[in-house]
């Protein structure tokens, strides 16, 4: 699939790190480093502007290494970029650790997964079909 992109940053376009990767790494485009203090959140620019085909979205997700090692995650995970959005792709990062984290220019701060989606048409009914699970909620299929 080809996606139109404008790169106003100074880094190369996002790339898959392995042949089986689902996500493309997004890099911070910064004039100077940013310190993200504990429980602080900031929008991190990527310099990328994309044009997705209708029926697709881009999901911005945390990088597992940053989340595990430093408590850094994408606050609205996954962040959704709709096919009709034409603004800059930015990453809403939050620091959930007890230590400040320095984000440097070029740092891989998140990953982006492009995914097909459907739009639904609601059908109002009075009853839903029965299943084994029924209305069982959180933890209802776990150990008993």
């Amino acid at each position: 699939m080809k996606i139109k992109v404008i790169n106003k940053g100074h880094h190369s376009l996002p790339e898959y790190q392995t042949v089986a990767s689902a996500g493309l790494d997004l890099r911070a485009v910064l004039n100077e480093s940013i310190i993200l203090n504990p429980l602080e959140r900031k929008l991190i620019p990527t310099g990328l502007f994309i044009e997705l085909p209708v029926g697709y979205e881009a999901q911005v997700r945390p990088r597992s290494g940053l989340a595990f090692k430093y408590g850094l995650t994408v606050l609205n995970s996954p962040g959704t970029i709709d096919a009709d959005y034409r603004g800059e792709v930015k990453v809403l990062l939050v620091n959930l650790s007890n230590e400040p984290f320095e984000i440097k220019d070029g740092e891989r701060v998140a990953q982006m997964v492009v995914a097909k989606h459907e739009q639904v048409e609601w059908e109002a009914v009075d009853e839903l079909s029965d299943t084994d699970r029924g209305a069982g909620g959180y933890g209802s299929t776990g150990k008993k």
Side-chain angles (χ1 to χ4, degrees):
M1 162 187 290
K2 289 191 178 191
I3 294 177
K4 293 179 182 176
V5 60
I6 296 172
N7 185 359
K8 292 189 178 179
H10 47 273
H11 304 294
S12 60
L13 290 174
E15 296 177 327
Y16 296 102
Q17 295 299 305
T18 70
V19 295
S21 294
L24 300 139
D25 287 337
L26 297 174
R27 294 184 183 274
V29 174
L30 304 170
N31 293 325
E32 57 187 41
S33 294
I34 293 176
I35 301 296
L36 197 58
N37 290 308
L39 298 181
E40 187 175 23
R41 60 192 179 271
K42 289 189 179 172
L43 274 175
I44 309 301
T46 66
L48 300 173
F49 299 74
I50 61 175
E51 183 177 327
L52 294 167
V54 172
Y56 288 83
E57 66 164 324
Q59 300 171 1
V60 178
R61 302 177 180 184
R63 291 193 62 236
S64 57
L66 287 179
F68 178 67
K69 294 176 188 173
Y70 306 106
L72 218 63
T73 192
V74 176
L75 189 56
N76 60 327
S77 182
T80 295
I81 300 167
D82 294 309
D84 57 354
Y85 176 68
R86 295 295 183 268
E88 181 178 8
V89 174
K90 294 184 179 179
V91 178
L92 180 55
L93 285 183
V94 64
N95 181 352
L96 298 179
S97 78
N98 296 320
E99 302 293 327
F101 184 85
E102 181 180 10
I103 302 167
K104 299 177 182 174
D105 180 54
E107 180 111 29
R108 294 181 296 151
V109 292
Q111 58 181 323
M112 181 172 68
V113 174
V114 176
K116 190 172 182 62
H117 70 82
E118 299 289 332
Q119 287 193 331
V120 301
E121 181 180 327
W122 296 109
E123 178 185 354
V125 297
D126 293 324
E127 197 172 292
L128 301 176
S129 64
D130 288 329
T131 66
D132 288 340
R133 182 176 183 177
Y138 294 101
S140 66
T141 61
K143 293 182 180 179
K144 299 201 182 211

